[in-house]
Amino acid sequence: MKRQTPRAWAVRTGVLSLIAIVVAHLALTDIAHGEADLTLEWNVLRASFVIIIAFHVLALRALVQTNGAPSPQDSRMTAGSSSQSSAGAS
């Protein structure tokens, strides 16, 4: 069995989070209309929150693991090299 990559998990939870947003909207509509028993709607919102947070965590993890996000050291090195090159040009 092939091991799933962080990117694949992020894509899957991204699709689930889109579905969760739609379902959460429907639950909020029922809450706003003042339905009699709102237990199910509140549980749907809780589950949607967990799915959306999981997507954000997995997407950020995938981004960092694929070197998509610069580390603080990279930005310092870039700033230092550009100031050195501009000083040498003067």
Side-chain angles (χ1 to χ4, degrees), residues 11-73:
V11 170
R12 286 189 181 116
T13 56
V15 171
L16 281 176
S17 71
L18 289 174
I19 295 168
I21 289 170
V22 171
V23 173
H25 172 71
L26 295 174
L28 286 170
T29 302
D30 282 349
I31 292 170
H33 289 160
E35 297 287 327
D37 184 19
L38 298 174
T39 305
L40 176 64
E41 283 80 3
W42 284 109
N43 287 334
V44 166
L45 286 176
R46 288 181 187 104
S48 297
F49 176 77
V50 169
I51 291 170
I52 292 167
I53 292 300
F55 164 65
H56 282 86
V57 169
L58 289 172
L60 288 173
R61 180 176 174 228
L63 184 67
V64 169
Q65 283 188 350
T66 57
N67 294 326
S71 68
Q73 290 178 340

